[in-house]
Amino acid sequence: MKMKFLLILGIAAILLAACNSNGEGLYCIKTIQNSPGTTVLSKSEMDEIKNLFSRNQLDFKKYQFTRFQKDELGHRHVRCYQFANNLIVFTSDAIFHFDNNGKYYTLSGELVNAISLDKNPSMSRDEVVEKFMGNIEQDGFNQGNNELISSCFDVEFGYYDLNAGISYADEKYVKAWKIKPRNSEYPFAYINDESSEIIYYDNGIRF
């Protein structure tokens, strides 16, 4: 099994070297750099969000907005990611709720306070890819998928709260990487930058 995986890594390295987006390293890698200024929403949605936040004296410049919904009662719900030290906080998904008069009334999620970690990665991007491919090789649904392991990869560096989703637990942030194949949402993983361990892996398979 070990020899098979090393052989796959060697083939992938040869196939990917030619497509590296930065012209260096073994693999074809694109570094994603999200920021509060980037969004997938339309101009009309962003204009309404800015109006709602301004009317309620909320700073819309701190967040990356990812979804805007209006329900049957006329309430507006605005989903966003948060940032610290100019890096995305992967576990910071939050939703601001406004009533039918545009008044802010509650928040789903927690606002991120200052994070006292630096913004310098320990792992190289190649190491991130190799860790990810090692996990894919152990995944019974993707094991031996040569098309997957020879694809290009999107990687993003940020922070991850290891206690996210645990009630009444103190925040426990680590520097982390998110990685997925280019042009595909699955599989994806979050990798601890300090320990090089997989924090979370999702192959997209649902039963």
Side-chain angles (χ1 to χ4, degrees), residues 105-156:
Y105 64 91
T106 193
L107 176 79
S108 298
E110 300 289 336
L111 294 181
V112 174
N113 297 314
I115 296 178
S116 59
L117 296 172
D118 64 42
K119 52 191 297 184
N120 304 314
S122 297
M123 297 179 71
S124 70
R125 299 187 313 160
D126 283 346
E127 290 171 334
V128 173
V129 171
E130 288 170 357
K131 184 68 180 182
F132 184 53
M133 290 201 298
N135 211 73
I136 289 174
E137 184 61 21
Q138 299 175 38
D139 176 0
F141 293 98
N142 288 304
Q143 188 178 41
N145 187 337
N146 291 333
E147 182 179 353
L148 179 61
I149 66 172
S150 63
S151 67
C152 292
F153 299 93
D154 290 339
V155 300
E156 183 171 14

